[in-house]
């Protein structure tokens, strides 16, 4: 595989593997000219992408450091700033051309002057390395250009069950989501322990996907649900709402547990839970939890529970 680099042409992309020959990352050693005040110097940087084509990091070469205006060398803070910029795939760089990111110089201009001999506009000044707009712009487009899609496509060609499961057991939410999308719904039950762990620790988008795609067989076996309900008070609002849609299938022990976590609910969630309790015979422990909550002065929705108790 190759990446197209302006004025240089194609440069190789390598697939890095671990000791067991499992694919890990993509990488490319980039050389591209950066010019300032009529002088050009090669920028040497080694870029890394995940197996899904997302930016993963870069290496610098100690003997060939990145440079700024007047060819001053990057310091450690500059490298960190470049890394944070490259992490942002929504950067303004995606919509703007390089000449739209600088103000035309004039005798009265003062400020950071970059390789294009103009002051960097305010919208990007804080996110780029001072005096290195062109280097930052080039690096960002190398990372987030067409190559990202090509790398993901290449990974799809490598995909097998082992790679899917390795991604499922990765801590990166993007890998987790990718693996969950590739699993058939019936396979969720085969990997339920790992999926429950992901549900507890991952991002809201992944949690929501899990709940929406758990197979019907999952909800028919109450014991399967316990780890998910146990996480109730520690997950995001939307995931809690999705779980509450399955109260009818929930194990009784989880309903008791949720009744002790009323403070984590929104007003609508609390009403939904109380409506569920209103048409059933509830265990004494549930009613006791409701009474405790209703008597808490710092709970703004305590009045809802108090009214429920009176009506019940």
């Amino acid at each position: 595989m190759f990446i197209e680099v302006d004025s240089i042409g194609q440069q190789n992309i390598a697939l890095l593997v671990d000791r067991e020959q499992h694919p890990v990352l993509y990488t490319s050693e980039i050389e591209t000219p950066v010019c300032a005040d009529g002088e050009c110097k090669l920028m040497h940087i080694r870029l890394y992408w995940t197996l899904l084509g997302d930016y993963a990091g870069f290496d610098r070469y100690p003997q060939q450091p990145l440079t700024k205006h007047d060819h001053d060398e990057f310091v450690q803070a500059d490298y960190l700033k470049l890394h944070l910029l490259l992490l942002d795939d929504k950067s303004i760089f995606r919509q703007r051309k390089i000449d739209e990111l600088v103000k035309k110089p004039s005798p009265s201009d003062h400020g950071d002057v970059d390789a294009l001999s103009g002051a960097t506009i305010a919208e990007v000044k804080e996110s780029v390395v001072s005096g290195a707009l062109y280097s930052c712009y080039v690096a960002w487009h190398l990372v987030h250009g067409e190559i990202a899609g090509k790398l993901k496509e290449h990974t799809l060609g490598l995909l097998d069950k082992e790679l899917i499961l390795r991604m499922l057991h990765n801590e990166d939410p993007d890998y987790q989501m990718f693996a969950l999308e590739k699993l058939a719904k019936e396979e969720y039950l085969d990997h339920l322990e790992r999926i429950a762990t992901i549900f507890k620790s991952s991002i809201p988008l992944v949690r929501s996907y899990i709940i929406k795609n758990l197979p019907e067989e999952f909800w028919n076996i109450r014991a399967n649900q316990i780890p998910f309900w146990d996480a109730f008070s520690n997950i995001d609002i939307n995931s809690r709402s999705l779980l509450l849609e399955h109260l009818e299938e929930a194990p009784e022990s989880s309903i008791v547990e949720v009744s002790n976590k009323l403070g984590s609910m929104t007003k609508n969630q609390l009403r939904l839970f109380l409506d569920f309790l209103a048409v059933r015979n509830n265990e004494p422990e549930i009613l006791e939890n409701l009474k405790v909550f209703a008597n808490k002065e710092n709970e703004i929705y305590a009045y809802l529970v108090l009214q429920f108790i009176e009506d019940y």
Side-chain angles (χ1 to χ4, degrees):
M1 291 183 295
F2 302 92
I3 182 171
E4 290 287 344
V5 180
D6 287 347
S7 75
I8 296 294
Q10 293 183 335
Q11 294 191 260
N12 287 333
I13 290 182
L15 175 62
L16 301 180
V17 298
D18 62 17
R19 291 176 180 175
E20 287 76 38
Q21 300 303 300
H22 299 130
V24 178
L25 290 170
Y26 293 105
T27 186
S28 183
E29 298 181 9
I30 303 294
E31 291 183 354
T32 187
V34 176
C35 301
D37 299 330
E39 295 182 46
C40 291
K41 192 172 183 179
L42 284 176
M43 176 174 72
H44 298 268
I45 187 171
R46 184 169 187 171
L47 298 174
Y48 297 91
W49 295 265
T50 71
L51 298 178
L52 301 180
D54 298 318
Y55 169 71
F58 71 85
D59 273 338
R60 63 188 179 93
Y61 297 93
Q63 303 306 316
Q64 298 169 311
L66 300 184
T67 56
K68 302 179 281 188
H69 179 63
D70 288 334
H71 298 305
D72 292 337
E73 295 182 1
F74 273 39
V75 297
Q76 188 63 29
D78 296 328
Y79 285 110
L80 175 58
K81 198 165 196 176
L82 175 60
H83 173 62
L84 294 176
L85 170 68
L86 297 179
L87 283 170
D88 180 14
D89 62 352
K90 303 292 192 300
S91 169
I92 191 175
F93 285 177
R94 187 176 294 281
Q95 287 83 31
R96 299 287 188 91
K97 296 180 180 178
I98 186 67
D99 58 1
E100 297 175 318
L101 300 174
V102 293
K103 294 183 293 186
K104 299 300 181 183
S106 68
S108 61
D109 275 344
H110 297 283
D112 297 323
V113 179
D114 55 41
L116 295 181
S117 299
T120 306
I121 64 173
E123 291 94 323
V124 297
K125 189 170 183 175
E126 293 304 314
S127 61
V128 302
V129 176
S130 178
L133 172 63
Y134 188 74
S135 297
C136 292
Y137 185 85
V138 169
W140 191 93
H141 278 276
L142 286 171
V143 165
H144 297 288
E146 292 182 3
I147 190 62
K150 293 179 180 178
L151 294 178
K152 186 173 183 178
E153 184 178 347
H154 186 269
T155 296
L156 289 172
L158 303 174
L159 207 58
D160 56 19
K161 187 60 65 178
E162 182 180 12
L163 182 53
I164 291 172
L165 294 183
R166 285 175 62 81
M167 289 186 177
L168 186 68
H169 285 266
N170 197 287
E171 295 307 312
D172 184 337
D174 290 332
Y175 280 156
Q176 293 169 356
M177 178 65 88
F178 181 84
L180 289 166
E181 290 173 346
K182 297 302 177 185
L183 288 177
K185 281 192 176 184
E186 56 270 20
E187 293 180 291
Y188 276 48
L189 297 179
D190 298 331
H191 306 285
L192 202 53
E193 183 177 353
R194 175 57 185 164
I195 290 174
T197 299
I198 292 173
F199 182 79
K200 292 178 182 179
S201 61
S202 196
I203 62 174
L205 180 65
V206 174
R207 289 195 192 103
S208 296
Y209 186 88
I210 288 173
I211 299 178
K212 291 176 181 178
N213 287 275
L214 285 166
E216 185 176 344
E217 294 86 340
F218 167 83
W219 301 105
N220 292 336
I221 304 174
R222 284 179 162 77
N224 288 340
Q225 303 176 40
I226 292 176
F228 295 81
W229 287 106
D230 285 350
F232 185 82
S233 61
N234 298 317
I235 59 179
D236 58 283
I237 291 175
N238 185 55
S239 295
R240 288 202 299 268
S241 293
L242 291 172
L243 262 184
L244 289 171
E245 292 177 6
H246 294 277
L247 281 169
E248 293 288 350
E249 300 104 325
E252 189 64 27
S253 62
S254 294
I255 295 171
V256 173
E257 185 65 23
V258 170
S259 73
N260 195 34
K261 298 176 178 178
L262 303 181
S264 63
M265 296 186 190
T266 66
K267 187 176 183 179
N268 287 337
Q269 289 171 350
L270 183 54
R271 281 177 167 164
L272 183 97
F273 185 62
L274 294 175
D275 288 345
F276 167 73
L277 296 181
V279 294
R280 65 195 298 272
N281 294 321
N282 295 294
E283 294 187 10
E285 187 177 353
I286 293 177
L287 298 176
E288 183 59 33
N289 288 338
L290 296 182
K291 290 177 184 178
V292 170
F293 182 83
N295 289 308
K296 289 183 178 179
E297 295 182 356
N298 61 334
E299 293 290 352
I300 61 175
Y301 302 131
Y303 72 93
L304 291 175
V305 180
L306 183 60
Q307 181 179 342
F308 171 84
I309 293 171
E310 293 172 351
D311 295 343
Y312 186 78

mmCIF file of all heavy atoms in Angstrom, residues 234-265:
data_model
loop_
_atom_site.group_PDB
_atom_site.id
_atom_site.type_symbol
_atom_site.label_atom_id
_atom_site.label_comp_id
_atom_site.label_asym_id
_atom_site.label_seq_id
_atom_site.Cartn_x
_atom_site.Cartn_y
_atom_site.Cartn_z
ATOM 1 N N ASN A 234 -24.240 3.842 37.177
ATOM 2 C CA ASN A 234 -22.939 4.332 36.688
ATOM 3 C C ASN A 234 -22.898 4.560 35.181
ATOM 4 O O ASN A 234 -21.847 4.932 34.651
ATOM 5 C CB ASN A 234 -21.832 3.347 37.078
ATOM 6 C CG ASN A 234 -21.691 3.196 38.575
ATOM 7 O OD1 ASN A 234 -21.734 4.184 39.313
ATOM 8 N ND2 ASN A 234 -21.522 1.969 39.037
ATOM 9 N N ILE A 235 -24.002 4.337 34.489
ATOM 10 C CA ILE A 235 -24.010 4.501 33.038
ATOM 11 C C ILE A 235 -24.724 5.797 32.660
ATOM 12 O O ILE A 235 -25.313 6.471 33.507
ATOM 13 C CB ILE A 235 -24.659 3.289 32.336
ATOM 14 C CG1 ILE A 235 -26.102 3.085 32.819
ATOM 15 C CG2 ILE A 235 -23.828 2.025 32.580
ATOM 16 C CD1 ILE A 235 -26.825 1.928 32.160
ATOM 17 N N ASP A 236 -24.663 6.156 31.412
ATOM 18 C CA ASP A 236 -25.235 7.406 30.930
ATOM 19 C C ASP A 236 -26.758 7.357 30.914
ATOM 20 O O ASP A 236 -27.374 6.286 30.972
ATOM 21 C CB ASP A 236 -24.704 7.712 29.528
ATOM 22 C CG ASP A 236 -25.025 6.596 28.556
ATOM 23 O OD1 ASP A 236 -24.345 5.546 28.594
ATOM 24 O OD2 ASP A 236 -25.974 6.748 27.762
ATOM 25 N N ILE A 237 -27.361 8.528 30.822
ATOM 26 C CA ILE A 237 -28.827 8.659 30.903
ATOM 27 C C ILE A 237 -29.537 7.847 29.822
ATOM 28 O O ILE A 237 -30.514 7.135 30.098
ATOM 29 C CB ILE A 237 -29.232 10.142 30.799
ATOM 30 C CG1 ILE A 237 -28.797 10.896 32.051
ATOM 31 C CG2 ILE A 237 -30.739 10.289 30.591
ATOM 32 C CD1 ILE A 237 -29.036 12.391 31.983
ATOM 33 N N ASN A 238 -29.056 7.939 28.579
ATOM 34 C CA ASN A 238 -29.735 7.232 27.496
ATOM 35 C C ASN A 238 -29.695 5.720 27.692
ATOM 36 O O ASN A 238 -30.692 5.026 27.449
ATOM 37 C CB ASN A 238 -29.100 7.608 26.153
ATOM 38 C CG ASN A 238 -29.840 7.009 24.977
ATOM 39 O OD1 ASN A 238 -31.035 7.199 24.825
ATOM 40 N ND2 ASN A 238 -29.121 6.249 24.149
ATOM 41 N N SER A 239 -28.558 5.207 28.139
ATOM 42 C CA SER A 239 -28.450 3.761 28.368
ATOM 43 C C SER A 239 -29.371 3.321 29.499
ATOM 44 O O SER A 239 -29.952 2.237 29.446
ATOM 45 C CB SER A 239 -26.997 3.387 28.687
ATOM 46 O OG SER A 239 -26.158 3.639 27.573
ATOM 47 N N ARG A 240 -29.506 4.156 30.534
ATOM 48 C CA ARG A 240 -30.445 3.821 31.608
ATOM 49 C C ARG A 240 -31.871 3.748 31.070
ATOM 50 O O ARG A 240 -32.637 2.852 31.428
ATOM 51 C CB ARG A 240 -30.352 4.863 32.730
ATOM 52 C CG ARG A 240 -29.091 4.773 33.559
ATOM 53 C CD ARG A 240 -29.277 5.412 34.924
ATOM 54 N NE ARG A 240 -29.610 6.824 34.854
ATOM 55 C CZ ARG A 240 -28.722 7.815 34.875
ATOM 56 N NH1 ARG A 240 -27.423 7.527 34.956
ATOM 57 N NH2 ARG A 240 -29.105 9.070 34.829
ATOM 58 N N SER A 241 -32.233 4.707 30.213
ATOM 59 C CA SER A 241 -33.587 4.691 29.640
ATOM 60 C C SER A 241 -33.825 3.432 28.821
ATOM 61 O O SER A 241 -34.902 2.828 28.891
ATOM 62 C CB SER A 241 -33.794 5.934 28.766
ATOM 63 O OG SER A 241 -33.804 7.111 29.543
ATOM 64 N N LEU A 242 -32.832 3.023 28.052
ATOM 65 C CA LEU A 242 -32.972 1.817 27.238
ATOM 66 C C LEU A 242 -33.119 0.578 28.108
ATOM 67 O O LEU A 242 -33.893 -0.339 27.789
ATOM 68 C CB LEU A 242 -31.770 1.681 26.300
ATOM 69 C CG LEU A 242 -31.673 2.712 25.173
ATOM 70 C CD1 LEU A 242 -30.344 2.586 24.446
ATOM 71 C CD2 LEU A 242 -32.823 2.542 24.188
ATOM 72 N N LEU A 243 -32.385 0.534 29.215
ATOM 73 C CA LEU A 243 -32.522 -0.593 30.136
ATOM 74 C C LEU A 243 -33.915 -0.620 30.757
ATOM 75 O O LEU A 243 -34.531 -1.687 30.891
ATOM 76 C CB LEU A 243 -31.473 -0.494 31.244
ATOM 77 C CG LEU A 243 -30.194 -1.316 31.111
ATOM 78 C CD1 LEU A 243 -29.340 -1.150 32.357
ATOM 79 C CD2 LEU A 243 -30.476 -2.781 30.847
ATOM 80 N N LEU A 244 -34.410 0.552 31.145
ATOM 81 C CA LEU A 244 -35.710 0.612 31.804
ATOM 82 C C LEU A 244 -36.849 0.137 30.903
ATOM 83 O O LEU A 244 -37.919 -0.231 31.393
ATOM 84 C CB LEU A 244 -35.982 2.038 32.292
ATOM 85 C CG LEU A 244 -35.145 2.496 33.486
ATOM 86 C CD1 LEU A 244 -35.333 3.978 33.744
ATOM 87 C CD2 LEU A 244 -35.490 1.684 34.738
ATOM 88 N N GLU A 245 -36.616 0.126 29.611
ATOM 89 C CA GLU A 245 -37.623 -0.405 28.689
ATOM 90 C C GLU A 245 -37.790 -1.912 28.852
ATOM 91 O O GLU A 245 -38.737 -2.500 28.324
ATOM 92 C CB GLU A 245 -37.232 -0.075 27.245
ATOM 93 C CG GLU A 245 -37.307 1.416 26.910
ATOM 94 C CD GLU A 245 -36.850 1.711 25.494
ATOM 95 O OE1 GLU A 245 -36.587 0.734 24.742
ATOM 96 O OE2 GLU A 245 -36.750 2.898 25.137
ATOM 97 N N HIS A 246 -36.853 -2.541 29.581
ATOM 98 C CA HIS A 246 -36.884 -4.001 29.746
ATOM 99 C C HIS A 246 -37.168 -4.397 31.193
ATOM 100 O O HIS A 246 -36.792 -5.495 31.623
ATOM 101 C CB HIS A 246 -35.548 -4.592 29.291
ATOM 102 C CG HIS A 246 -35.284 -4.436 27.822
ATOM 103 N ND1 HIS A 246 -35.794 -5.290 26.874
ATOM 104 C CD2 HIS A 246 -34.586 -3.480 27.142
ATOM 105 C CE1 HIS A 246 -35.404 -4.895 25.663
ATOM 106 N NE2 HIS A 246 -34.681 -3.800 25.806
ATOM 107 N N LEU A 247 -37.860 -3.542 31.910
ATOM 108 C CA LEU A 247 -38.189 -3.863 33.302
ATOM 109 C C LEU A 247 -39.024 -5.137 33.419
ATOM 110 O O LEU A 247 -38.872 -5.908 34.377
ATOM 111 C CB LEU A 247 -38.940 -2.687 33.938
ATOM 112 C CG LEU A 247 -38.081 -1.506 34.389
ATOM 113 C CD1 LEU A 247 -38.962 -0.310 34.741
ATOM 114 C CD2 LEU A 247 -37.207 -1.897 35.576
ATOM 115 N N GLU A 248 -39.912 -5.349 32.461
ATOM 116 C CA GLU A 248 -40.782 -6.531 32.519
ATOM 117 C C GLU A 248 -39.980 -7.823 32.517
ATOM 118 O O GLU A 248 -40.397 -8.831 33.111
ATOM 119 C CB GLU A 248 -41.761 -6.526 31.345
ATOM 120 C CG GLU A 248 -42.789 -5.413 31.384
ATOM 121 C CD GLU A 248 -43.846 -5.620 32.463
ATOM 122 O OE1 GLU A 248 -43.894 -6.727 33.051
ATOM 123 O OE2 GLU A 248 -44.594 -4.667 32.730
ATOM 124 N N GLU A 249 -38.837 -7.817 31.852
ATOM 125 C CA GLU A 249 -38.016 -9.030 31.763
ATOM 126 C C GLU A 249 -36.940 -9.096 32.846
ATOM 127 O O GLU A 249 -36.236 -10.093 32.965
ATOM 128 C CB GLU A 249 -37.325 -9.111 30.392
ATOM 129 C CG GLU A 249 -38.285 -9.140 29.214
ATOM 130 C CD GLU A 249 -38.346 -7.798 28.494
ATOM 131 O OE1 GLU A 249 -38.246 -6.761 29.185
ATOM 132 O OE2 GLU A 249 -38.498 -7.791 27.264
ATOM 133 N N ALA A 250 -36.798 -8.038 33.632
ATOM 134 C CA ALA A 250 -35.680 -7.950 34.579
ATOM 135 C C ALA A 250 -35.852 -8.928 35.740
ATOM 136 O O ALA A 250 -36.976 -9.196 36.187
ATOM 137 C CB ALA A 250 -35.583 -6.527 35.124
ATOM 138 N N PRO A 251 -34.753 -9.462 36.268
ATOM 139 C CA PRO A 251 -34.832 -10.333 37.449
ATOM 140 C C PRO A 251 -35.282 -9.513 38.661
ATOM 141 O O PRO A 251 -34.987 -8.326 38.768
ATOM 142 C CB PRO A 251 -33.401 -10.838 37.623
ATOM 143 C CG PRO A 251 -32.544 -9.891 36.861
ATOM 144 C CD PRO A 251 -33.376 -9.345 35.761
ATOM 145 N N GLU A 252 -35.976 -10.153 39.573
ATOM 146 C CA GLU A 252 -36.513 -9.447 40.746
ATOM 147 C C GLU A 252 -35.398 -8.806 41.567
ATOM 148 O O GLU A 252 -35.548 -7.690 42.082
ATOM 149 C CB GLU A 252 -37.307 -10.416 41.623
ATOM 150 C CG GLU A 252 -38.078 -9.748 42.747
ATOM 151 C CD GLU A 252 -39.172 -8.818 42.237
ATOM 152 O OE1 GLU A 252 -39.672 -9.046 41.114
ATOM 153 O OE2 GLU A 252 -39.528 -7.867 42.954
ATOM 154 N N SER A 253 -34.260 -9.470 41.676
ATOM 155 C CA SER A 253 -33.147 -8.915 42.455
ATOM 156 C C SER A 253 -32.663 -7.595 41.859
ATOM 157 O O SER A 253 -32.255 -6.677 42.578
ATOM 158 C CB SER A 253 -31.992 -9.919 42.513
ATOM 159 O OG SER A 253 -31.489 -10.192 41.210
ATOM 160 N N SER A 254 -32.717 -7.475 40.530
ATOM 161 C CA SER A 254 -32.282 -6.238 39.872
ATOM 162 C C SER A 254 -33.293 -5.116 40.088
ATOM 163 O O SER A 254 -32.921 -3.953 40.245
ATOM 164 C CB SER A 254 -32.075 -6.476 38.367
ATOM 165 O OG SER A 254 -30.994 -7.372 38.154
ATOM 166 N N ILE A 255 -34.588 -5.471 40.115
ATOM 167 C CA ILE A 255 -35.617 -4.461 40.385
ATOM 168 C C ILE A 255 -35.438 -3.907 41.798
ATOM 169 O O ILE A 255 -35.532 -2.703 42.033
ATOM 170 C CB ILE A 255 -37.016 -5.062 40.193
ATOM 171 C CG1 ILE A 255 -37.213 -5.453 38.723
ATOM 172 C CG2 ILE A 255 -38.096 -4.069 40.627
ATOM 173 C CD1 ILE A 255 -38.466 -6.246 38.459
ATOM 174 N N VAL A 256 -35.137 -4.794 42.727
ATOM 175 C CA VAL A 256 -34.866 -4.353 44.103
ATOM 176 C C VAL A 256 -33.664 -3.430 44.123
ATOM 177 O O VAL A 256 -33.677 -2.372 44.769
ATOM 178 C CB VAL A 256 -34.626 -5.569 45.024
ATOM 179 C CG1 VAL A 256 -34.164 -5.102 46.407
ATOM 180 C CG2 VAL A 256 -35.881 -6.421 45.143
ATOM 181 N N GLU A 257 -32.631 -3.803 43.395
ATOM 182 C CA GLU A 257 -31.404 -2.996 43.352
ATOM 183 C C GLU A 257 -31.670 -1.629 42.739
ATOM 184 O O GLU A 257 -31.181 -0.610 43.231
ATOM 185 C CB GLU A 257 -30.325 -3.745 42.564
ATOM 186 C CG GLU A 257 -28.968 -3.063 42.558
ATOM 187 C CD GLU A 257 -28.328 -2.999 43.926
ATOM 188 O OE1 GLU A 257 -28.680 -3.816 44.802
ATOM 189 O OE2 GLU A 257 -27.475 -2.115 44.133
ATOM 190 N N VAL A 258 -32.438 -1.585 41.669
ATOM 191 C CA VAL A 258 -32.750 -0.315 41.015
ATOM 192 C C VAL A 258 -33.578 0.573 41.947
ATOM 193 O O VAL A 258 -33.404 1.797 41.955
ATOM 194 C CB VAL A 258 -33.497 -0.557 39.684
ATOM 195 C CG1 VAL A 258 -34.043 0.756 39.113
ATOM 196 C CG2 VAL A 258 -32.566 -1.203 38.667
ATOM 197 N N SER A 259 -34.426 -0.024 42.752
ATOM 198 C CA SER A 259 -35.239 0.771 43.683
ATOM 199 C C SER A 259 -34.381 1.470 44.732
ATOM 200 O O SER A 259 -34.845 2.391 45.409
ATOM 201 C CB SER A 259 -36.280 -0.118 44.372
ATOM 202 O OG SER A 259 -35.684 -0.969 45.339
ATOM 203 N N ASN A 260 -33.149 1.039 44.851
ATOM 204 C CA ASN A 260 -32.213 1.660 45.785
ATOM 205 C C ASN A 260 -31.323 2.693 45.091
ATOM 206 O O ASN A 260 -30.412 3.247 45.724
ATOM 207 C CB ASN A 260 -31.347 0.574 46.444
ATOM 208 C CG ASN A 260 -30.629 1.075 47.669
ATOM 209 O OD1 ASN A 260 -31.146 1.914 48.412
ATOM 210 N ND2 ASN A 260 -29.416 0.599 47.886
ATOM 211 N N LYS A 261 -31.581 2.916 43.789
ATOM 212 C CA LYS A 261 -30.753 3.850 43.016
ATOM 213 C C LYS A 261 -31.620 4.923 42.351
ATOM 214 O O LYS A 261 -31.314 5.391 41.252
ATOM 215 C CB LYS A 261 -29.956 3.078 41.960
ATOM 216 C CG LYS A 261 -28.989 2.059 42.550
ATOM 217 C CD LYS A 261 -28.294 1.241 41.477
ATOM 218 C CE LYS A 261 -27.304 0.261 42.091
ATOM 219 N NZ LYS A 261 -26.641 -0.588 41.063
ATOM 220 N N LEU A 262 -32.694 5.292 43.011
ATOM 221 C CA LEU A 262 -33.624 6.250 42.415
ATOM 222 C C LEU A 262 -32.985 7.612 42.172
ATOM 223 O O LEU A 262 -33.394 8.340 41.276
ATOM 224 C CB LEU A 262 -34.851 6.411 43.324
ATOM 225 C CG LEU A 262 -35.623 5.123 43.654
ATOM 226 C CD1 LEU A 262 -36.812 5.448 44.543
ATOM 227 C CD2 LEU A 262 -36.082 4.425 42.377
ATOM 228 N N GLY A 263 -32.003 7.953 42.972
ATOM 229 C CA GLY A 263 -31.351 9.248 42.824
ATOM 230 C C GLY A 263 -30.588 9.407 41.540
ATOM 231 O O GLY A 263 -30.244 10.538 41.153
ATOM 232 N N SER A 264 -30.299 8.313 40.835
ATOM 233 C CA SER A 264 -29.567 8.394 39.567
ATOM 234 C C SER A 264 -30.505 8.595 38.382
ATOM 235 O O SER A 264 -30.053 8.767 37.249
ATOM 236 C CB SER A 264 -28.738 7.119 39.348
ATOM 237 O OG SER A 264 -29.579 5.985 39.231
ATOM 238 N N MET A 265 -31.828 8.586 38.642
ATOM 239 C CA MET A 265 -32.803 8.667 37.548
ATOM 240 C C MET A 265 -33.202 10.104 37.247
ATOM 241 O O MET A 265 -33.210 10.967 38.121
ATOM 242 C CB MET A 265 -34.066 7.879 37.895
ATOM 243 C CG MET A 265 -33.870 6.389 38.065
ATOM 244 S SD MET A 265 -35.474 5.571 38.286
ATOM 245 C CE MET A 265 -34.949 3.925 38.774
#
